[in-house]
Amino acid sequence: MAGTARPVVLDAMSGDHGPAETVPGALAARREHGVPVVLVGRADDLHRELRRHGGTGEVEVEHAGEVVPMAERGARAAARPESSLAVGCALARRRGAAFVSAGSTGAVVTCAVRAFGRREGVLRPALAVALPTPSGSTVLVDAGGTADPTPKMLRQFALLGAAYARNVLGVPDPSVGLLSIGAEPGKGNRLAREAAALLPGLPARFHGNVEGHDVLAGTVDVVVTDGFTGNVVLKNIEGCVRTVLGMVAEAGIAPPDRLAEVARLYTADTHGGAALLGLAGTVVVGHGSSRSTAIARACVVASELAAGGGPVPVDGRSSPRTAAPVGPVA
Amino acid sequence: MAGTARPVVLDAMSGDHGPAETVPGALAARREHGVPVVLVGRADDLHRELRRHGGTGEVEVEHAGEVVPMAERGARAAARPESSLAVGCALARRRGAAFVSAGSTGAVVTCAVRAFGRREGVLRPALAVALPTPSGSTVLVDAGGTADPTPKMLRQFALLGAAYARNVLGVPDPSVGLLSIGAEPGKGNRLAREAAALLPGLPARFHGNVEGHDVLAGTVDVVVTDGFTGNVVLKNIEGCVRTVLGMVAEAGIAPPDRLAEVARLYTADTHGGAALLGLAGTVVVGHGSSRSTAIARACVVASELAAGGGPVPVDGRSSPRTAAPVGPVA
């Protein structure tokens, strides 16, 4: 896709490792996938890293003097207009480019909502991650965008997730399950029970409740939950994969390098990060611990999502295969 | 422990498979572990199964004509006084015996609370499960007892979980982490943020927030969360272990029987079920899908917990090694 790829604006100060990983990640996106990247952050730091990787001139650099610490909460982060996060969001918006950050999810969501705005009718944005299952992928939504949603918001997350499954994964008529603690509609906490009453009316194929063991079983194409539970589940899967494959390696019953291939399916190196759905722009939130491979993958995913274009129908109307749910407004 | 083991009352109609699995499970508990079991349920069905396994006379049978369906919610289940669940709870209470059911968690919790009552000061019961980590075990609490707790209830769950880690797992000074979506105290949904403000004052070693990947990493001895998130996490681990080891088997890089040994660590065959903490009696809730091995294990765990005896200090005072948090009041 070299030459035709959409440009991506990268918050180069983000993540646990900052420019030491974002700069080589951006160079890999450019060199290996033809995705043009604009690095945003402290110009001195970025040019030094570019020199270190022999990449001066290969990607653009936009200066932003401040850095949002990983521990910063959303509202405080948004009050730093000179940060690489805020400057990056604004630049992406002006250029109609996709935006990638491996910063704190709360901070990225808050700043991205301010910069891009929500699509018409969207109450709150949600993060979507496609997780590998034995038969394909399941979209987990919300994986951490909105920690305390209302039942109505969950209903929209279901539609955003279904649009993602259709447009990004190519599933023609995705099934949607509500994550709860029992298969029956009466089971769950207050939020899940109230949402279970709203979802059967969705203009989407509603499967009913699903449980924790269904997330990776391929029971449904889309698993809908609140951003707290979704984020816990996403990270729980990461930890579980690591621990269980570690036990297999420890038992000496499989070669570690072959196990690493399976483990990689569940890391940001493969999925690249979470798409922030419901905004009038394309935003991908990378994992805080992303190394350069995961950063490169996030840039490629963001470029592909942006190339899809077109709005997400939160009223549930179907949209053509080429329309990505997080693409920029044309 | 044959001969000295505490008797266990088993809801023999419970679980997805009913007497076909509970009866051989009870016989295995008796024959292999010396745990005397009282089967509660439809006498005809139970005697027939006992005959089928050559076990007539080896375990007691108490008749109860009704069965609580797995889909039944707590309040409706409790309105069936002739059910094996209600009759079993009442019998266990009268005899000072431990109680085991693989029925619907909500139904078991509701009936057990009515029959045994809470310990003094306990606001709500919580389910605790000990999960294997690379370095030992981590107690997950609440794994599904109370779906919508208050921050004060979470504070008690932390103390109940710490008492469980001390008394059942033998950890002298257990560390406690609050499950959230960021390590910093300000991160989380409303409940987690409010609980994070209460927990540092605990008379227990509070580690701070932990995240989904910490649950199986051995980061802390006790992970505290609400019963909705905890139940989703518990079942998510089950599903994740199954999917990931299935991928390893599919890749042909390890023998399936050796992988099954690792998989079993995370099934009810090993942990036996969840202990319902905070009641004036010993109650173990088995997995609905339990086969006879898991039922037998649940009976053994219940017998051992009851043998510990002694109340849980919800004010956080330490208790002797022999005091189990779910033992009957002496």
Side-chain angles (χ1 to χ4, degrees):
Chain A
M1 58 191 302
T4 61
R6 287 270 191 145
V8 169
V9 173
L10 173 63
D11 176 0
M13 309 307 289
S14 66
D16 298 339
H17 311 291
E21 298 291 337
T22 57
V23 171
L27 288 170
R30 181 79 189 94
R31 290 169 179 173
E32 294 159 29
H33 306 278
V35 173
V37 177
V38 185
L39 294 167
V40 181
R42 287 184 187 137
D44 287 357
D45 294 357
L46 300 181
H47 285 301
R48 190 172 50 242
E49 283 297 324
L50 281 170
R51 276 195 303 276
R52 220 161 63 82
H53 291 89
T56 302
E58 283 186 51
V59 294
E60 269 184 77
V61 170
E62 178 90 13
H63 178 70
E66 267 198 284
V67 177
V68 174
M70 283 303 280
E72 194 96 311
R73 291 188 58 190
R76 283 179 59 92
R80 296 177 184 268
E82 302 305 319
S83 72
S84 56
L85 174 55
V87 171
C89 280
L91 181 68
R93 197 198 165 183
R94 280 201 308 281
R95 295 213 190 164
F99 178 69
V100 172
S101 176
S104 143
T105 303
V108 177
V109 171
T110 305
C111 286
V113 170
R114 292 202 186 180
F116 295 99
R118 296 180 209 136
R119 289 189 184 286
E120 200 186 328
V122 170
L123 298 166
R124 288 287 183 89
L127 284 167
V129 180
L131 297 164
T133 67
S135 53
S137 295
T138 285
V139 178
L140 178 68
V141 59
D142 175 17
T146 300
D148 282 301
T150 62
K152 271 194 183 168
M153 290 174 194
L154 277 191
R155 185 181 181 282
Q156 286 197 339
F157 296 170
L159 292 173
L160 290 166
Y164 184 94
R166 259 194 307 271
N167 302 332
V168 179
L169 305 178
V171 180
D173 181 23
S175 58
V176 176
L178 174 69
L179 189 57
S180 192
I181 57 174
E184 306 75 27
K187 297 280 180 81
N189 59 5
R190 206 175 303 123
L191 175 65
R193 291 197 310 271
E194 290 177 16
L198 290 181
L199 290 177
L202 274 188
R205 190 150 59 89
F206 183 54
H207 169 94
N209 286 0
V210 293
E211 299 186 71
H213 51 258
D214 292 305
V215 178
L216 294 187
T219 310
V220 289
D221 299 305
V222 179
V223 169
V224 178
T225 188
D226 64 274
F228 182 84
T229 308
N231 190 267
V232 167
V233 163
L234 180 66
K235 291 176 177 163
N236 187 51
I237 289 170
E238 283 176 24
C240 185
V241 170
R242 203 179 304 135
T243 294
V244 170
L245 293 182
M247 285 175 175
V248 173
E250 187 76 15
I253 57 180
D257 56 326
R258 298 295 308 280
L259 292 173
E261 290 167 28
V262 176
R264 274 174 73 96
L265 292 175
Y266 291 95
T267 66
D269 288 4
T270 300
H271 63 67
L276 187 57
L277 306 183
L279 298 191
T282 301
V283 177
V284 169
V285 186
H287 197 292
S289 67
S290 291
R291 297 285 179 177
S292 60
T293 313
I295 295 286
R297 181 82 196 120
C299 291
V300 172
V301 166
S303 174
E304 288 176 353
L305 284 171
V312 194
V314 286
D315 59 357
R317 275 174 294 128
S318 187
S319 54
R321 171 73 183 85
T322 51
V326 291
V329 166
Chain B
M1 61 190 300
T4 61
R6 288 269 193 148
V8 169
V9 173
L10 173 63
D11 175 0
M13 309 308 289
S14 67
D16 297 339
H17 311 292
E21 298 291 338
T22 57
V23 171
L27 287 171
R30 180 78 188 96
R31 292 168 179 172
E32 293 160 28
H33 306 278
V35 174
V37 176
V38 186
L39 295 167
V40 181
R42 289 185 187 135
D44 287 356
D45 294 358
L46 300 181
H47 284 299
R48 188 172 50 243
E49 283 297 324
L50 280 171
R51 277 195 301 277
R52 220 160 65 82
H53 291 89
T56 301
E58 282 186 53
V59 294
E60 271 184 77
V61 169
E62 178 90 12
H63 178 70
E66 266 198 287
V67 177
V68 174
M70 284 302 281
E72 193 97 311
R73 292 188 58 192
R76 282 180 58 91
R80 296 178 185 265
E82 301 307 318
S83 71
S84 56
L85 174 56
V87 171
C89 280
L91 181 69
R93 196 197 166 186
R94 278 201 309 279
R95 295 213 191 165
F99 178 69
V100 172
S101 176
S104 143
T105 304
V108 178
V109 171
T110 305
C111 287
V113 170
R114 292 203 185 179
F116 295 99
R118 296 179 210 139
R119 289 190 183 284
E120 201 186 327
V122 170
L123 298 167
R124 288 286 184 89
L127 283 166
V129 180
L131 297 164
T133 66
S135 53
S137 295
T138 286
V139 179
L140 177 68
V141 57
D142 176 15
T146 300
D148 282 301
T150 62
K152 272 194 182 166
M153 291 174 194
L154 278 191
R155 184 182 182 281
Q156 286 197 339
F157 296 170
L159 292 174
L160 290 167
Y164 184 94
R166 258 195 307 271
N167 302 332
V168 179
L169 304 178
V171 181
D173 182 24
S175 58
V176 176
L178 175 68
L179 189 57
S180 192
I181 57 173
E184 306 75 27
K187 298 282 181 79
N189 60 5
R190 205 174 304 122
L191 176 65
R193 292 199 309 273
E194 289 177 15
L198 290 181
L199 290 177
L202 274 188
R205 191 150 59 89
F206 183 54
H207 169 94
N209 286 0
V210 293
E211 298 186 72
H213 51 259
D214 291 304
V215 178
L216 295 187
T219 310
V220 289
D221 299 304
V222 180
V223 169
V224 178
T225 188
D226 64 273
F228 181 85
T229 308
N231 190 266
V232 167
V233 163
L234 180 66
K235 291 176 178 163
N236 187 51
I237 289 170
E238 283 175 24
C240 186
V241 169
R242 204 179 304 138
T243 295
V244 170
L245 293 183
M247 286 175 173
V248 172
E250 187 76 14
I253 58 180
D257 56 327
R258 298 296 307 278
L259 291 172
E261 289 168 29
V262 176
R264 272 174 75 96
L265 292 174
Y266 291 96
T267 67
D269 289 1
T270 300
H271 63 66
L276 187 57
L277 307 183
L279 299 190
T282 301
V283 177
V284 169
V285 186
H287 197 291
S289 67
S290 291
R291 296 287 179 175
S292 60
T293 315
I295 295 287
R297 182 82 196 122
C299 291
V300 172
V301 166
S303 175
E304 288 175 352
L305 284 170
V312 193
V314 288
D315 58 358
R317 275 175 293 130
S318 187
S319 53
R321 172 73 185 83
T322 49
V326 290
V329 166

